[in-house]
């Protein structure tokens, strides 16, 4: 395999630190590695494969050293500024923000679903929204087999999806302190509000799921609606997904399709209380699917319960998988 020079931008954040963990576990062929952050966090130390590295401030000259791949999780405005600079210097950026996701010139990739789109990148590849990633891992094999007509998403999203401040709001809220990140207390509460509200009454998170699903699945004709909800869970997003197909299906066959799908673990034994739970998905890279049952209100519908670690598969792991696919492509 080709050895690469790799950079992590936003190295001190929640996703940035998880990048390091996943990179260590997956043992990528890294020749040199660099860590960048804002001026505020520059000078701090991170440990990778037992060695300490000083985090550098991300600047316009950071990529003047032949870096092949940069994993970005430093926010949209940082990515908008620095991704084109990195790309112009021959680096491929895998960006975890929403800055490039809907840009028609930028691939939006979940490797289990559309790894072929990596090939047409022009120096930037977008990592989808965490809630979208686990959903499309579950839906793509079913779309290929039965042709999806309509999707109804209802999400139950962990506070870690809002970063360290979201995590702190739940920790401190359980001690009775007022929220700093969320508009209302999240402890012992449920907020039907993720990101900002749009003129049509949907939130930006809901719009992201709708638009990103269509782009990743390569089907703009899909009819999709979404309600995204923040719940008092530290880590692991859960989703109720209702799907209507154009073709009839056999339930046992559909379960087998999911069992054979890449990146999926089916946990579906309700008689023994076996179904996906965020507490067990946390720390894992797979997407867990259960509560698989026919929607009896329509001719060809199914209900799924889909759970994944939103910081790993929903962010860091997906980005590292994209990097792995790039290295494979370059090694051919």
């Amino acid at each position: 395999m080709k050895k690469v020079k790799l950079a992590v931008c936003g190295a001190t954040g929640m996703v940035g630190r998880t990048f390091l963990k996943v990179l260590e576990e997956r043992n990528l062929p890294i020749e040199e590695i660099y860590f960048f952050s804002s001026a505020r966090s520059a000078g701090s130390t991170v440990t990778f494969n037992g060695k300490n590295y000083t985090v550098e401030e991300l600047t316009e000259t950071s990529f003047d050293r032949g870096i092949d791949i940069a994993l970005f999780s430093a926010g949209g405005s940082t990515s908008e500024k620095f991704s084109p600079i990195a790309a112009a210097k021959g680096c491929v950026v895998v960006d975890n923000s929403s800055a490039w996701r809907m840009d028609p010139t930028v691939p939006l990739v979940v490797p289990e679903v559309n790894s072929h789109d990596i090939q047409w990148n022009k120096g930037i590849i977008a990592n989808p929204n965490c809630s979208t990633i686990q959903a499309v891992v579950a839906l793509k094999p079913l779309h290929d087999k039965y042709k999806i007509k309509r999707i109804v998403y209802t999400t139950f999203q962990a506070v870690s999806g809002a970063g360290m401040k979201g995590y702190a709001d739940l920790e401190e809220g359980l001690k009775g302190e007022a929220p700093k990140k969320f508009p209302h207390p999240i402890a012992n509460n449920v907020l039907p509000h993720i990101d900002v509200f749009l003129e049509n009454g949907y939130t930006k998170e809901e719009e992201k799921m709708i638009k990103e699903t269509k782009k990743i699945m390569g089907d703009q004709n899909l009819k999709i609606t979404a309600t995204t909800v923040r719940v008092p869970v530290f880590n692991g997003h859960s989703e109720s997904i209702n799907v209507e197909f154009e073709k009839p299906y056999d339930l046992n066959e559909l379960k087998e399709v999911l069992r054979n799908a890449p990146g999926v673990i089916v946990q579906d034994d309700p008689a023994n209380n076996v179904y996906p739970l965020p507490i067990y998905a946390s720390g894992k890279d797979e997407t867990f699917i259960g509560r698989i049952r026919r929607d009896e209100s329509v001719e060809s519908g199914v209900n799924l319960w889909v759970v994944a670690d939103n910081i790993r598969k929903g962010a860091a792991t997906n980005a590292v998988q994209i990097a792995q696919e790039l290295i494979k492509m370059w090694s051919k």
Side-chain angles (χ1 to χ4, degrees):
M1 296 289 276
K2 171 185 162 67
K3 288 205 160 193
V4 296
K5 293 182 179 180
L6 190 139
V8 175
C9 304
T12 59
M14 191 177 280
V15 174
R17 291 185 182 279
T18 309
F19 278 146
L20 308 195
K21 201 183 295 182
V22 178
L23 285 167
E24 285 180 341
E25 290 168 2
R26 292 185 171 242
N27 197 26
L28 271 67
I30 296 170
E31 183 183 341
E32 290 178 45
I33 190 162
Y34 305 95
F35 301 97
F36 301 123
S37 71
S38 65
R40 190 180 67 248
S41 301
S44 58
T45 302
V46 297
T47 305
F48 178 70
N49 279 338
K51 185 179 171 185
N52 290 334
Y53 293 82
T54 301
V55 179
E56 303 174 44
E57 182 183 354
L58 181 61
T59 69
E60 294 183 11
T61 59
S62 293
F63 297 94
D64 295 353
R65 55 187 100 177
I67 295 170
D68 299 294
I69 299 171
L71 305 178
F72 268 66
S73 189
S77 57
T78 300
S79 181
E80 282 171 9
K81 178 178 178 181
F82 289 101
S83 294
I85 293 170
K89 293 174 181 176
C91 178
V92 177
V93 171
V94 182
D95 180 48
N96 197 53
S97 79
S98 59
W100 303 99
R101 290 176 188 156
M102 296 318 298
D103 186 319
T105 68
V106 174
L108 182 65
V109 174
V110 177
E112 294 91 337
V113 176
N114 64 330
S115 61
H116 55 273
D117 283 337
I118 291 171
Q119 295 169 7
W120 56 268
N121 84 83
K122 296 179 174 66
I124 302 171
I125 299 169
N127 213 35
N129 182 278
C130 48
S131 50
T132 308
I133 289 174
Q134 67 189 70
V136 296
V137 168
L139 293 175
K140 181 60 162 62
L142 301 181
H143 188 47
D144 289 346
K145 181 81 176 173
Y146 306 112
K147 184 78 171 136
I148 293 173
K149 186 194 297 185
R150 183 170 187 256
I151 302 164
V152 180
Y153 287 134
T154 309
T155 73
F156 305 81
Q157 294 179 225
V159 294
S160 57
M164 290 178 172
K165 289 179 180 175
Y167 205 93
D169 256 19
L170 179 53
E171 275 188 324
E172 301 305 316
L174 289 168
K175 300 172 192 170
E177 295 193 21
K180 294 187 177 79
K181 170 70 176 176
F182 301 122
H184 303 283
I186 186 63
N188 305 311
N189 204 12
V190 167
L191 306 182
H193 175 188
I194 301 177
D195 212 319
V196 297
F197 281 101
L198 306 172
E199 282 186 14
N200 62 1
Y202 284 75
T203 63
K204 199 171 177 186
E205 181 84 356
E206 290 156 356
E207 185 185 63
K208 285 176 194 171
M209 286 198 78
I210 293 165
K211 290 183 174 178
E212 290 178 24
T213 299
K214 292 179 180 183
K215 182 174 177 178
I216 297 163
M217 303 267 273
D219 189 346
Q220 291 298 319
N221 295 319
L222 286 170
K223 295 185 186 307
I224 308 172
T225 190
T227 302
T228 60
V229 181
R230 189 74 70 193
V231 295
V233 169
F234 282 109
N235 197 53
H237 286 353
S238 304
E239 299 173 350
S240 168
I241 307 180
N242 177 267
V243 186
E244 188 178 355
F245 300 115
E246 290 186 7
K247 298 176 183 176
Y249 71 91
D250 174 81
L251 189 59
N252 289 326
E253 180 193 61
L254 182 147
K255 289 181 183 182
E256 202 56 33
V257 168
L258 290 172
R259 284 191 190 99
N260 293 324
V264 166
I265 293 178
V266 172
Q267 295 180 323
D268 190 59
D269 184 9
N272 290 300
N273 298 329
V274 174
Y275 33 71
L277 296 169
I279 200 167
Y280 298 130
S282 191
K284 300 182 177 72
D285 290 332
E286 295 84 7
T287 296
F288 297 85
I289 307 176
R291 297 293 323 275
I292 305 166
R293 63 207 187 277
R294 190 174 287 277
D295 176 357
E296 295 174 348
S297 71
V298 292
E299 194 172 323
S300 190
V302 72
N303 287 297
L304 310 171
W305 180 248
V306 179
V307 178
D309 184 325
N310 53 292
I311 299 297
R312 287 186 65 105
K313 182 53 188 166
T317 299
N318 198 75
V320 173
Q321 285 177 291
I322 292 170
Q324 287 179 297
E325 292 294 326
L326 277 168
I327 295 166
K328 276 188 215 166
M329 200 170 81
W330 293 336
S331 300
K332 283 180 182 174

